[in-house]
Amino acid sequence: PLGGTSMAAPHVAGVAAMLSGLGHSRDEIIDCIITTAINPITGDRGAQDPVYGYGILDAEAAVHACHKQ
């Protein structure tokens, strides 16, 4: 099975590129990805966990929640 940071990195980079294309700054992109990531056990978003870090990337939530009008 594929997993871990090696598999997560291209997905996070892709979402970061989409957010950049929407006009977000580096700091806004980081904040958006962190605040919309979801912990698969607790369902919490944006909270750091010793096992899951900030959680699993939620690309749809990141792009929808951080879309600039």
Side-chain angles (χ1 to χ4, degrees):
L2 302 172
T5 56
S6 294
M7 285 305 299
H11 296 279
V12 174
V15 172
M18 288 190 286
L19 293 170
S20 178
L22 292 172
H24 289 283
S25 70
R26 176 187 173 275
D27 290 338
E28 289 172 330
I29 291 168
I30 292 168
D31 184 59
C32 185
I33 289 172
I34 288 173
T35 59
T36 59
I38 188 165
N39 182 304
I41 304 300
T42 65
D44 292 339
R45 291 187 183 268
Q48 192 169 20
D49 177 274
V51 175
Y52 290 101
Y54 283 102
I56 296 175
L57 175 69
D58 186 339
E60 182 178 15
V63 172
H64 286 298
C66 301
H67 183 66
K68 284 189 171 184
Q69 298 291 341

